[in-house]
Amino acid sequence: MLIGVPAEVKNRETRVALTPEGAARLTKAGHDVVIQAGAGAASFLTDEAYVAAGARLGTVDEAWAADLVLKVKEPVPEEYDRLSANILFTFLHLAANEPLARALIAAGTTAISYDTVQLDDGTLPLLTPMSEIAGRLATLEGAHHLLSPSGGRGVLLGGVGDLPGARVVVIGAGVAGRAALAEAVALGADAVVLDLDESRLAAARHAHGERVRTELSTPASVAREVAAADLVIGAVLVPGRPAPTVVSHAMVEGMRPGSVLVDIAIDQGGCFEDSRPTTHDDPVFRVAGSTLYCVANMPGAVGATATEALAHATAPYVDALAAHGRDALATDSALARGLNVDAGTLRCRAVAQALAHLPSAPELAAAS
């Protein structure tokens, strides 16, 4: 099979979908791998390393024309004309991106999304490493924007001496929320985590003991904690669906001046009412005296780390698609759940419910 890896074009996206090690694995298996020249440069992966691994360098057109196209982030509008009836394997987040859904439907693309590949136990093996990175970065970015030169309250996240650290409120105790919480606790913040699932809160107490306080997430508890927070991190995820709004504009208006909010769920539409996607070049905006950070590709800030983590996670699925094409979906239930678009229809139930006016078909059944 011909496998193409185009360069990412999203703002400051430094990741690449395949490492030289991955290229060597695929070419050894008899596949032809074409890498757009310079695709790995931002992750410090050289063209020479890919060539040494058996791949060949090509143009953007050659990479997109492959049987299987591997990307990191969703195609942006300037790439829609490159979509075709091949297999695309990447993050899509379609529930919050109707224009892309329409473009994939029109092109007849078999589009498989990393963020909906799901194991039988409900875990998301390809989203998990990126969520962990985004969670850790959320705390670090929040700490940075709390500094006075960044327009923040001038609060040191971990405090100093007998002075307490900043009040950090994490909403959502999934993978990203747990990572954000761990980073906040490690830095010495006064940390609070809220979730709807008591078992997740119990796990947080077990992991951090008295260094963290837990609360069941309700509109009242969220409002109370947000009002007292220096930093709020939104980490609410419903796989394949738009993120629910958990922090209203009125809550932000009630926060102390110079507070910071970081929305990790922005790829799925965001979990703050005021959220809108931002970029690494222009990451924040102000709302009622607070700073909102809503960068839609946070792991791109650590491309070298994130590329290795993502490539390791995707490897078995890439190998299966390279060996069997679309037939790989019929024998892998996790990969089948990742199918978002096929033959001009939506094939993921959650995405189809979010975009109910677009053509859809039942989810693909596959062996467990």
Side-chain angles (χ1 to χ4, degrees):
M1 178 178 281
L2 176 59
I3 301 162
V5 182
E8 299 295 321
V9 298
K10 197 176 184 77
N11 178 266
R12 299 288 182 181
E13 182 49 71
T14 61
R15 290 170 288 180
V16 63
L18 190 70
T19 63
E21 290 78 8
R25 187 184 69 252
L26 290 168
T27 56
K28 186 176 180 179
H31 303 295
D32 185 12
V33 178
V34 57
I35 308 284
Q36 182 181 343
S43 290
F44 297 92
L45 301 174
T46 65
D47 288 346
E48 291 77 12
Y50 284 105
V51 171
R56 60 184 175 88
L57 302 180
T59 65
V60 60
D61 291 332
E62 290 174 306
W64 272 103
D67 305 307
L68 169 62
V69 176
L70 304 178
K71 274 179 53 60
V72 176
K73 291 301 291 178
E74 74 283 352
V76 298
E78 66 195 76
E79 296 174 302
Y80 289 0
D81 287 345
R82 300 189 183 280
L83 299 174
S84 65
N86 54 10
I87 301 172
L88 173 65
F89 195 28
T90 188
F91 281 115
L92 291 172
H93 303 291
L94 284 187
N97 195 341
E98 182 176 332
L100 176 57
R102 289 184 177 277
L104 291 166
I105 288 170
T109 306
T110 296
I112 305 165
S113 187
Y114 297 154
D115 55 292
T116 59
V117 172
Q118 189 171 28
L119 300 178
D120 292 341
D121 65 2
T123 57
L124 304 166
L126 308 188
L127 184 60
T128 293
M130 298 302 98
S131 294
E132 183 170 355
I133 289 172
R136 292 184 177 277
L137 286 173
T139 301
L140 297 177
E141 290 290 351
H144 171 74
H145 288 285
L146 278 173
L147 302 179
S148 296
S150 299
R153 290 180 49 74
V155 177
L156 185 63
L157 196 78
V160 63
D162 293 331
L163 294 177
R167 172 71 66 87
V168 177
V169 175
V170 179
I171 306 174
V175 174
R178 291 196 302 270
L181 182 66
E183 196 74 20
V185 170
L187 292 173
D190 176 13
V192 183
V193 61
L194 300 93
D195 199 278
L196 292 169
D197 188 337
E198 176 57 42
S199 66
R200 287 182 170 183
L201 297 178
R205 291 192 294 271
H206 178 75
H208 303 294
E210 295 182 355
R211 294 177 296 172
V212 64
R213 183 164 55 83
T214 64
E215 280 208 49
L216 196 66
S217 182
T218 66
S221 65
V222 170
R224 182 176 61 253
E225 293 299 341
V226 166
D230 296 303
L231 168 61
V232 176
I233 296 173
V236 181
L237 171 71
V238 182
R241 292 183 169 85
T245 299
V246 295
V247 175
S248 68
H249 176 73
M251 292 180 192
V252 177
E253 286 186 315
M255 295 180 72
R256 292 177 290 185
S259 301
V260 177
L261 301 95
V262 179
D263 196 342
I264 302 176
I266 192 62
D267 275 326
Q268 292 293 103
C271 59
F272 306 149
E273 183 179 359
D274 293 298
S275 291
R276 56 177 172 79
T278 61
T279 67
H280 288 290
D281 281 347
D282 189 15
V284 299
F285 57 94
R286 303 281 288 185
V287 174
S290 293
T291 297
L292 271 72
Y293 178 100
C294 303
V295 173
N297 58 328
M298 290 176 65
V302 289
T305 297
T307 289
E308 292 291 340
L310 182 62
H312 177 76
T314 61
Y317 301 101
V318 170
D319 291 352
L321 288 168
H324 306 292
R326 192 187 179 284
D327 290 343
L329 300 169
T331 57
D332 188 325
S333 60
L335 195 58
R337 293 183 188 106
L339 182 65
N340 278 211
V341 181
D342 188 44
T345 58
L346 298 176
R347 297 299 298 271
C348 173
R349 184 183 298 112
V351 173
Q353 289 173 344
L355 304 174
H357 50 289
L358 297 184
S360 63
E363 288 188 331
L364 182 68
S368 296

